[in-house]
Amino acid sequence: MSSGEPQPNDQSRRLLEDFSEVFQCRATHLALAPGRVNLIGEHTDYNDGFVLPMAIDRHLMMAAAPNQTNTFNFVSKAQKETTSAAINDFEPRPQEGWMAYPRGVLAGYAEKGLPLTGFDALIDSRIPLGAGLSSSAAIEVATALMAEAVGGFHLDPLERAQLCQAAEHRFAGVPCGIMDQFAVSCCLPKAALLLDCQTNAFESISLQSNDIAFLIIDSNVKHALAESGYAERRSQCRDAVERLGISSLRELDSLEGLEEKLRSEDTLRRRVRHVISENHRTQAAADAFQSQDWREAGRLMYESHESMRNDYEISCPELDFLVTSLKELPSRFGVFGARMTGGGFGGSIIALVRADAVQATMEWIEKAYRQAFPQSADAFIARPSGSARVEPVP
Ligand code: GLA
């Protein structure tokens, strides 16, 4: 659970001490990038639709100092292991693992002709990996901010998010939408952002209430299918767009009149139905969160999960178990709604829970999951946090 989660100050203090030990000099820059959780609006971003993410109070931190060379050295303290790698060229490397992200980001700046300066960096991430909480967007955006801070130039947050998204496409091979990099770059404290992925216009949705809590439950299921399944969904949406002769699924308000064109294509019809209905739900949920109508927000979250399970087929038994178990709990557990979050095929669910009941709910669901599956689930309370930033080194 979350009470023992070190706060950024503690995390940064330790990181700076470790930096001095690893590189035998003091860090001059500190970048901090949050994870994100999407409240609703899944697989809509690459369809020009709506998403509603918030940044969370789990961070990736990067401490760095210029090294007077043209080399970028990254050391990561991930999962109790330390791994390191150097980058002195910006060509994609097949099967590179996590270094694809920094390499892709640095390549983006090099292509823009911006004056990169080599640096040594130490990374410490408290964002669970493979949990659907955007640990990869966090390393991309932290690398971007560091390249800018050390190099002495600056992109605006949207442009930075787009550069990071391009890095993920070209260097990690994941055809993601803009949501994750956008959320990590642009989110505001105590709020979610309703982003219109067609125009990149966004609206802040206040989450300033002591009545509710956001409970994230990581199923610890990491399906190999995640990447191939994601790419397949994207290409199915492209097929549907072609078949319907439109420019994106955003143009559709309902399936009415389209049944004929998609008649022999039950799978495509269901994919399209998810995207259309999820866009409606996301806008309605933004209104419900804004007016603190928790019941309605929760109802839409449950509906979203059903749609992802039945129409988009990106859930799995473990995620369904978590959502269904919460839905069936008596009202004293205070659960308004729950749904899987992120790319799917494993990862986490997010639940909207009454603040005074969240502790008991968290303990109950962890126990129920342990009894049903061989692995345990990791639950924690997430608070809506600010975006990635560079902080002064004390
Ligand atoms: C991943 C992608 C996002 C988005 C979600 C699904 O997190 O990186 O762009 O498509 O899946 O909503």
Side-chain angles (χ1 to χ4, degrees), residues 36 38 41-46 134 176-180 230 342-343:
R36 71 94 190 89
N38 190 21
E42 225 64 78
H43 287 258
T44 43
D45 59 355
Y46 56 80
S134 287
C176 62
I178 189 67
M179 170 170 71
D180 302 351
Y230 185 92

Side-chain angles (χ1 to χ4, degrees), residues 90-138:
F90 304 125
E91 286 305 309
R93 298 255 186 288
Q95 328 236 297
E96 192 175 27
W98 66 271
M99 277 302 285
Y101 305 117
R103 191 186 299 278
V105 169
L106 295 170
Y109 285 104
E111 281 164 18
K112 279 184 182 292
L114 289 161
L116 288 169
T117 305
F119 57 78
D120 296 332
L122 181 65
I123 300 167
D124 175 45
S125 180
R126 305 278 164 92
I127 306 167
L129 293 178
L133 303 174
S134 287
S135 53
S136 48

Side-chain angles (χ1 to χ4, degrees), residues 134-157:
S134 287
S135 53
S136 48
I139 190 170
E140 288 156 9
V141 176
T143 305
L145 283 171
M146 195 55 87
E148 293 181 25
V150 176
F153 51 87
H154 184 75
L155 295 190
D156 74 53

